[in-house]
Amino acid sequence: MIPGTDLLAALSVPAYMTDSENRLAFYNDAAAELWQCRPPCGEPLSAGPMRLFMPNGVPLAPEEWPTARLLRDGELPPTVELYAQRRDGSRFSAVPHPSLLRDENGRVIGTVNLLIDVPHSGQGDIEAARLAAIVASSDDVIISKNLDGVITSWNAAATRVFGYEPEEMVGQSILKIIPPELHSEEQQILAKLKRGERISHYDTVRMTKGGQRVDISLTVSPLRDRHGRIVGASKVARDVTERKRSEALQRLLFDELNHRVKNTLAIVTALASQSLLKTSSPEEFAESFTGRVEALARAHDLLMLGQMRGTTLADLVHEQVILAGGARIYADGPRVDLDPQAVVQIGLVLHELATNARKYGALSTPKGRLNITWAHMADREREVVIHWRESGVPNMRPPQARGFGTTLIERTTQAFGGRATIEFRPGGLACDLQLQLRDDPSPPALRLPPSNGRRLAAPPHTVPNLEGRRILVVDDELVIAMDLEARLSGLGCIVIGPAATAAAAIALIGSEEIDAALVDANLGGHRVDDVAASLAQRHIPFAFVTGYGPEALPDTFRHVPVVAKPINVAQLNETLAALAASIKR
């Protein structure tokens, strides 16, 4: 038996003794009254009359109990007010005052601990319990810290968002979850707290246990003790990662919608220009232009049904051809998925073939028949050949003049890395279209950096002197590229390209003599940083042509002039004049 029990038994202050293994060895009546039980001696203290908690509600591990720390470290732990939970679940608060017990040889044989009860009103306990329950169950991260930035509480939501358990974070610096480049932000927060300022909602970034960055909305408020002194801070944070993603997606969708609308208007403008070049009367122009715009609209209807991801070749053939011909048309082939750009470009090709069939070919005569079949080439899924066969057409003859439709068909297949074979046979037209489609039919995600594009200054309504100049055209919208080519040729330029991909453009830059370039700022959903860099390395002046506007420009080329789609002829001429003035040779 540990000596000194008679003195402790006479005390009115709760007191108990432990042995050197921190097992309960003795307690007085005041302790039993405080605990509201009489536990047997000899059992571990932590398994006995109570459980201990830090003031912030975090359970205190048995090895961190004051008597356990004193036995382990030989030094008195800091004197702090602790909360204790009785066996029946009720709680009380007390300040422990432990001391070591030694035998006559100075050997530690146990501890004696006095518990000074800290009385609170019943309403205060109820309110504290209510607040603790709110903090524990909140979906928001709630963390408290002292004025040195050391974490003193950590709720379940903090564990869910950041991945750390309370025992991993309580006692640690808050900098553990703050990215290194934002450490100065924490110093500013602490300085404001010491002045008693509250920091309202602001968005920032924190780090999880796994190293991921989390977007949060943060509010910081000072914590005061019972005397009104600021002793720390509470932080309430909400994970806004999904909100940030939604906002970014919304911005992206608006940018993409803006691009698609402007690009479509540019295509319509180019169709009008090209249709006008190949017609001899206003009536003929109105008919051809209207038909092409309607074909463009049908292609976009299919894209809307497919949520702008694309459609199949079978659906495109049905919309552009079969609806106009009924039972006299046979179409068959394997499933071929087309991306949005291919839907528009191949749709226009099918429209040109169908229009010719209705005017002069198989669909212009009751006995005419049209077979459309397609197949993969050499077992390569993304290489496709479309066979267009008309029959039952008497006295079929080749046209006397080459029209826009024929040029569009040939240039489209070339843009897709293939070729077109057109034969006017005695019984009807035979056409084979070889196409090499993109490996990934879904459009890639766009990443649009902030930028400030500008236009080169030039006198208004300038007609540039570009006679003999070699101008590279880079644009993946074939009709737009054809229209640019026609306009440049009309100014006396020699057009290089057009190139529909970055790889093709870079190859031309490396192999051709080029004086200046017009570059679409986005090719198939991909930025053109490498193309711009290749032009800059060779000191070739260039301008961007884009439906996105200046925000889609590569970061290092924000000074480059921008021609907006749909293309304004006056603006294009002004930009070309400025480019011509900067050509060095």
Side-chain angles (χ1 to χ4, degrees), residues 403-447:
F404 170 68
T406 302
T407 302
L408 178 67
I409 293 168
E410 292 177 348
R411 294 287 293 276
T412 299
T413 52
Q414 291 172 10
F416 280 96
R419 61 189 180 88
T421 303
I422 302 174
E423 296 182 33
F424 293 90
R425 298 175 180 175
L429 178 69
C431 179
D432 292 326
L433 308 174
Q434 295 181 14
L435 307 169
Q436 185 171 338
L437 304 175
R438 250 188 0 212
D439 290 335
D440 182 7
S442 60
L446 299 176
R447 297 178 294 278

Side-chain angles (χ1 to χ4, degrees), residues 360-418:
Y360 314 110
L363 302 183
S364 67
T365 175
K367 296 183 179 181
R369 295 291 183 269
L370 171 60
N371 278 19
I372 309 169
T373 59
W374 57 91
H376 299 295
M377 297 172 58
D379 297 325
R380 290 189 289 271
E381 185 177 346
R382 303 305 294 165
E383 294 188 19
V384 178
V385 59
I386 302 174
H387 303 289
W388 180 284
R389 296 291 184 270
E390 298 180 26
S391 60
V393 183
N395 302 319
M396 185 67 178
R397 295 179 181 177
Q400 295 181 350
R402 181 183 179 85
F404 170 68
T406 302
T407 302
L408 178 67
I409 293 168
E410 292 177 348
R411 294 287 293 276
T412 299
T413 52
Q414 291 172 10
F416 280 96

Side-chain angles (χ1 to χ4, degrees), residues 221-377:
S221 302
L223 288 178
R224 302 176 185 270
D225 63 12
R226 65 186 64 184
H227 303 293
R229 293 172 300 194
I230 297 172
V231 295
S234 68
K235 288 190 170 187
V236 180
R238 176 164 296 178
D239 184 355
V240 295
T241 303
E242 289 304 317
R243 190 197 81 193
K244 291 284 188 180
R245 288 176 180 169
S246 296
E247 290 174 352
L249 178 60
Q250 187 178 53
R251 287 194 300 270
L252 181 63
L253 289 175
F254 278 124
D255 287 336
E256 182 65 12
L257 178 61
N258 184 46
H259 162 70
R260 289 187 183 277
V261 169
K262 289 184 176 179
N263 224 42
T264 299
L265 291 173
I267 293 173
V268 171
T269 302
L271 284 174
S273 175
Q274 293 299 301
S275 298
L276 185 60
L277 289 174
K278 301 293 183 178
T279 55
S280 56
S281 67
E283 294 78 15
E284 185 181 354
F285 165 75
E287 181 183 1
S288 62
F289 175 64
T290 301
R292 286 160 184 156
V293 171
E294 289 174 350
L296 191 62
R298 288 193 294 271
H300 277 273
D301 285 342
L302 286 175
L303 290 177
M304 290 300 296
L305 289 174
Q307 298 182 337
M308 300 307 291
R309 295 190 185 95
T311 191
T312 66
L313 180 55
D315 287 340
L316 187 61
V317 169
H318 184 271
E319 287 296 314
Q320 298 288 8
V321 184
I322 294 178
L323 289 179
R328 290 186 292 156
I329 301 175
Y330 171 82
D332 185 50
R335 180 185 177 93
V336 175
D337 293 314
L338 303 175
D339 63 59
Q341 192 174 61
V343 171
V344 172
Q345 294 182 355
I346 298 174
L348 288 173
V349 167
L350 293 172
H351 164 75
E352 295 299 326
L353 289 169
T355 299
N356 185 77
R358 284 194 299 271
K359 287 184 174 181
Y360 314 110
L363 302 183
S364 67
T365 175
K367 296 183 179 181
R369 295 291 183 269
L370 171 60
N371 278 19
I372 309 169
T373 59
W374 57 91
H376 299 295
M377 297 172 58

Side-chain angles (χ1 to χ4, degrees), residues 92-347:
F92 64 90
S93 59
V95 178
H97 293 274
S99 299
L100 287 174
L101 289 175
R102 302 178 185 271
D103 61 14
E104 62 274 12
N105 298 318
R107 183 170 54 89
V108 174
I109 59 174
T111 68
V112 60
N113 192 20
L114 302 180
L115 292 175
I116 307 303
D117 185 19
V118 181
H120 295 284
S121 68
Q123 185 61 38
D125 289 341
I126 293 172
E127 187 64 25
R130 181 182 295 117
L131 291 175
I134 291 172
V135 170
S137 61
S138 174
D139 287 334
D140 290 335
V141 173
I142 302 179
I143 303 170
S144 63
K145 63 180 182 181
N146 63 22
L147 291 178
D148 293 323
V150 176
I151 296 169
T152 56
S153 71
W154 185 269
N155 73 343
T159 296
R160 174 176 53 80
V161 172
F162 298 114
Y164 291 103
E165 296 295 333
E167 56 267 23
E168 295 179 275
M169 293 303 295
V170 173
Q172 300 292 316
S173 171
I174 193 71
L175 296 177
K176 191 171 181 178
I177 61 170
I178 299 178
E181 69 273 13
L182 296 180
H183 282 187
S184 60
E185 177 186 289
E186 177 63 13
Q187 300 305 317
Q188 295 172 8
I189 290 174
L190 290 173
K192 289 183 177 180
L193 287 171
K194 291 174 182 177
R195 297 194 297 268
E197 298 179 21
R198 181 177 183 271
I199 301 167
S200 298
H201 295 287
Y202 77 99
D203 288 349
T204 186
V205 177
R206 293 295 181 260
M207 300 284 289
T208 69
K209 185 176 182 179
Q212 292 82 24
R213 293 180 176 239
V214 179
D215 293 304
I216 64 169
S217 178
L218 186 64
T219 299
V220 186
S221 302
L223 288 178
R224 302 176 185 270
D225 63 12
R226 65 186 64 184
H227 303 293
R229 293 172 300 194
I230 297 172
V231 295
S234 68
K235 288 190 170 187
V236 180
R238 176 164 296 178
D239 184 355
V240 295
T241 303
E242 289 304 317
R243 190 197 81 193
K244 291 284 188 180
R245 288 176 180 169
S246 296
E247 290 174 352
L249 178 60
Q250 187 178 53
R251 287 194 300 270
L252 181 63
L253 289 175
F254 278 124
D255 287 336
E256 182 65 12
L257 178 61
N258 184 46
H259 162 70
R260 289 187 183 277
V261 169
K262 289 184 176 179
N263 224 42
T264 299
L265 291 173
I267 293 173
V268 171
T269 302
L271 284 174
S273 175
Q274 293 299 301
S275 298
L276 185 60
L277 289 174
K278 301 293 183 178
T279 55
S280 56
S281 67
E283 294 78 15
E284 185 181 354
F285 165 75
E287 181 183 1
S288 62
F289 175 64
T290 301
R292 286 160 184 156
V293 171
E294 289 174 350
L296 191 62
R298 288 193 294 271
H300 277 273
D301 285 342
L302 286 175
L303 290 177
M304 290 300 296
L305 289 174
Q307 298 182 337
M308 300 307 291
R309 295 190 185 95
T311 191
T312 66
L313 180 55
D315 287 340
L316 187 61
V317 169
H318 184 271
E319 287 296 314
Q320 298 288 8
V321 184
I322 294 178
L323 289 179
R328 290 186 292 156
I329 301 175
Y330 171 82
D332 185 50
R335 180 185 177 93
V336 175
D337 293 314
L338 303 175
D339 63 59
Q341 192 174 61
V343 171
V344 172
Q345 294 182 355
I346 298 174

